[in-house]
Amino acid sequence: MNHVNVTINGRQYRMACEEGQETRLLRLAESLESRIQSLRGKFGEIGDARLTVMAALTVCDELSDAGNRIRGLEQELVALADVREVAADRARATQAAVASALNAAADRIEKTTQVLNRTVGGGVAIG
């Protein structure tokens, strides 16, 4: 376990964190400190505890909004996957129909060629 000193609302706190997470912890503390300072600028000196609680609530509000957006995007992703599957099924059906139509056309051309060969070969000489 590593330790980092962070400043929140003008006070130093020694925080423990996993190895390699020091920079992240410092950035998070700076973000919270910035929010507290912003609220202090808006509301003045309304008490350290109240400013800290208000900053925490704004973070929770943003986290809640982000969670709602993620859930909405996950639902949209599921819907898009369903649409993609339907489109893929239609593409496979279309491909099969086109292949069948081409095979039928090839069969008709082959039969027409055979009829023409018999007609030309059995009757009139070309030349």
Side-chain angles (χ1 to χ4, degrees), residues 78-91:
V78 167
L80 289 172
D82 291 345
V83 167
R84 184 179 149 261
E85 186 60 34
V86 168
D89 289 345
R90 285 183 184 161

Side-chain angles (χ1 to χ4, degrees), residues 40-105:
R40 181 174 278 120
K42 288 180 185 175
F43 300 107
E45 291 297 329
I46 59 172
D48 291 345
R50 188 169 180 190
L51 283 171
T52 303
V53 168
M54 289 173 67
L57 287 173
T58 61
V59 169
C60 288
D61 184 47
E62 289 175 12
L63 181 61
S64 176
D65 288 347
N68 289 336
R69 283 192 306 268
I70 288 170
R71 281 186 289 284
L73 290 171
E74 286 172 339
Q75 290 172 353
E76 187 177 330
L77 183 61
V78 167
L80 289 172
D82 291 345
V83 167
R84 184 179 149 261
E85 186 60 34
V86 168
D89 289 345
R90 285 183 184 161
R92 284 189 287 274
T94 300
Q95 184 179 14
V98 168
S100 177
L102 288 174
N103 285 334

Side-chain angles (χ1 to χ4, degrees), residues 6-63:
V6 299
T7 302
I8 298 174
N9 200 17
R11 292 195 177 112
Q12 289 274 324
Y13 297 93
R14 182 175 165 92
M15 307 294 293
C17 64
E18 296 291 326
E19 187 174 334
Q21 294 297 309
E22 299 86 357
T23 302
R24 179 175 169 80
L25 181 56
L26 287 169
R27 280 196 325 263
L28 291 170
E30 288 170 5
S31 174
L32 182 58
E33 176 67 11
S34 174
R35 290 169 192 273
I36 291 170
Q37 294 307 321
S38 175
L39 290 169
R40 181 174 278 120
K42 288 180 185 175
F43 300 107
E45 291 297 329
I46 59 172
D48 291 345
R50 188 169 180 190
L51 283 171
T52 303
V53 168
M54 289 173 67
L57 287 173
T58 61
V59 169
C60 288
D61 184 47
E62 289 175 12
L63 181 61

